[in-house]
């Protein structure tokens, strides 16, 4: 909806903190266009959290839930893909 997509390399992050910021920012930007609920679950304080964005379908219908546990080497690509989808 009117947003220009980023270049693919801009979705990738150097580490967890940067990836988390990008995910949360993408959810907040989407929240300006349609209802988004953004929650943080504490997995292991203080270093490990799971951010969850719940996006309501258009016209109040439907709901998509995308959940994963990306970590290690595959975490970089998985995080970039999740942020791009938002």
């Amino acid at each position: 909806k009117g947003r220009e997509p980023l270049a693919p390399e801009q979705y990738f992050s150097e580490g967890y903190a940067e990836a988390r910021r990008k995910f949360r920012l993408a959810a907040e930007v989407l929240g300006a266009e349609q209802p988004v609920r953004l929650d943080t679950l504490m997995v292991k304080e203080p270093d490990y959290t799971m951010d969850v964005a719940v996006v309501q379908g258009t016209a109040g219908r439907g709901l998509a839930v995308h959940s994963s546990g990306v970590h290690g080497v595959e975490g970089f690509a998985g995080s970039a893909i999740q942020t791009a989808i938002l």
Side-chain angles (χ1 to χ4, degrees):
K1 285 188 173 182
R3 288 186 297 151
E4 290 293 320
L6 297 174
E9 62 274 8
Q10 291 179 298
Y11 292 107
F12 288 85
S13 302
E14 291 291 323
Y16 172 77
E18 181 184 359
R20 183 173 186 227
R21 280 192 303 274
K22 286 182 178 182
F23 176 85
R24 293 183 64 82
L25 178 61
E28 290 169 6
V29 168
L30 182 60
E33 299 173 7
Q34 65 192 75
V36 174
R37 178 178 170 173
L38 186 59
D39 291 318
T40 300
L41 306 173
M42 300 307 288
V43 178
K44 182 178 179 182
E45 293 188 46
D47 298 328
Y48 299 103
T49 60
M50 180 188 309
D51 292 300
V52 179
V54 178
V55 183
Q56 182 177 331
T58 58
R61 297 176 29 201
L63 175 70
V65 177
H66 178 161
S67 175
S68 72
V70 293
H71 56 82
V73 165
E74 73 275 15
F76 292 100
S79 176
I81 291 166
Q82 289 177 327
T83 301
I85 288 172
L86 276 176

